[in-house]
Amino acid sequence: MHPISDLQIEYSLISRGIEDDILPVCRELGIGITAYGVLSRGLISGHWSQNHAGEMDFRGFSPRFQGENLEKNLALVERLRSVASDLGGTVAQVAIAWVLAQGFDIVPLVGARRRDRLGEALGALDLALSSADLTALTEAIPAGAAAGARYDASQLAHLDSEKKSSHI
């Protein structure tokens, strides 16, 4: 048996479900977090367009990318874009920098299909966010502000991180 040293879990400005229960326990036990989905599958990258979703694309089935939910979530992105502009970064850069600023025990996992997007993501390392900047970002996208669930109900039923439990 070996102790758990890292937990890979979704964490972003728009998916903050780990903050109340999971993150404190991980910190108490010295378990690091590898955060995936820091751009929420492109939703908060600042580059999302309905044209990006192919027929079999996960986002075509995700509640956050459907109808009014998508409209509300893209409105959050526009709020984030305003803050990003003030900080001299892109939406993607400030979203990644926000995750980086949540603690040295959290490492954002960022994917890029194109070289320019990789360059943009790496630019997040050049943003040093102050406490006022972090406040502005969390005010732009408060915890729980996302419209629609991360997954449809049948998939959510299989995620331990989405179940309310007295033990982890």
Side-chain angles (χ1 to χ4, degrees), residues 20-131:
D20 292 336
D21 297 322
I22 296 172
L23 186 55
V25 170
C26 285
R27 286 184 167 154
E28 178 184 328
L29 298 174
I31 299 170
I33 300 289
T34 300
Y36 72 83
V38 297
L39 297 177
S40 296
R41 294 175 175 81
L43 182 61
I44 60 171
S45 68
H47 304 293
W48 173 255
S49 163
Q50 192 65 37
N51 299 333
H52 290 126
E55 186 176 313
M56 296 306 294
D57 190 312
F58 163 83
R59 295 169 289 192
F61 306 99
S62 172
R64 287 198 177 157
F65 289 84
Q66 303 297 312
E68 288 183 23
N69 289 342
L70 179 60
E71 290 175 29
K72 289 177 182 177
N73 291 331
L74 290 177
L76 292 174
V77 173
E78 290 310 309
R79 291 167 56 182
L80 186 58
R81 188 180 312 279
S82 175
V83 176
S85 177
D86 292 344
L87 296 174
T90 68
V91 174
Q93 288 169 338
V94 297
I96 295 166
W98 180 88
V99 173
L100 280 166
Q102 298 311 300
F104 290 109
D105 54 348
I106 300 175
V107 177
L109 182 61
V110 180
R113 291 189 176 104
R114 299 180 2 200
R115 186 173 291 239
D116 62 325
R117 297 285 195 252
L118 175 61
E120 179 182 23
L122 291 172
L125 297 172
D126 296 328
L127 290 176
L129 301 178
S130 69
S131 60

